[in-house]
Amino acid sequence: MTTITAEKVRSFLDEGGRTGKVGYLGLDGRPLVVPVWFARDGDRIVFNTSADSAKATAIARDPRLAMCVDEQSGRTFVQIQGSAETTAEQAEVLRVATTVAARYVGAEKAERVGGKIAGPGQLAVYLRPTRVVTSGDLSE
């Protein structure tokens, strides 16, 4: 497993407001990309999805994902390739949802928004990196 150790990369990923673009293979083999709210949880990326979503179906079939996080100009980015795991355990779904919500709405609203995100039928997704690719200005 690869880790996200470079401080510049961690800071870039932790900066609020950027969405991750998750790439996965659809049921018919087509590559698909969707934006997600995410957070860094140690050396993995976490986000939530509905248990009946195309992402959840794809992860169950093939856990390999890629996520790209970029700045608006597109010149600076982090791409995380890895393997995803999911859980429907409600306390963990809520923890992940609250952690993710804090990045986008602030700590004062995180519990309320996280509670809405973590409703029935939701999963927590953990993306464990196997490879991290960065643009030149984030390289060590």
Side-chain angles (χ1 to χ4, degrees), residues 83-132:
S83 184
E85 298 174 13
T86 64
T87 184
E89 198 277 308
Q90 187 56 41
E92 186 60 10
V93 171
L94 179 59
R95 184 193 74 80
V96 167
T98 303
T99 299
V100 169
R103 286 194 68 232
Y104 295 91
V105 300
E108 64 283 348
K109 296 179 184 175
E111 282 189 39
R112 182 173 54 80
V113 173
K116 289 181 180 180
I117 294 169
Q122 293 293 308
L123 300 173
V125 180
Y126 314 100
L127 176 57
R128 297 182 188 282
T130 56
R131 184 169 185 218
V132 177

Side-chain angles (χ1 to χ4, degrees), residues 13 18 47 54 58 60 62 71 73 75 86 97 117 119-120 127 139:
L13 292 172
R18 294 187 176 110
F47 60 94
D62 182 345
E71 66 175 6
S73 73
R75 289 188 299 261
T86 64
I117 294 169
L127 176 57
S139 299

Side-chain angles (χ1 to χ4, degrees), residues 73-86:
S73 73
R75 289 188 299 261
T76 303
F77 69 89
V78 174
Q79 180 192 86
I80 300 163
Q81 301 170 22
S83 184
E85 298 174 13
T86 64

Side-chain angles (χ1 to χ4, degrees), residues 31-49:
L32 302 170
V33 178
V34 295
V36 296
W37 279 10
F38 75 95
R40 190 177 56 80
D41 186 27
D43 283 322
R44 63 187 181 179
I45 300 297
V46 294
F47 60 94
N48 295 88
T49 193

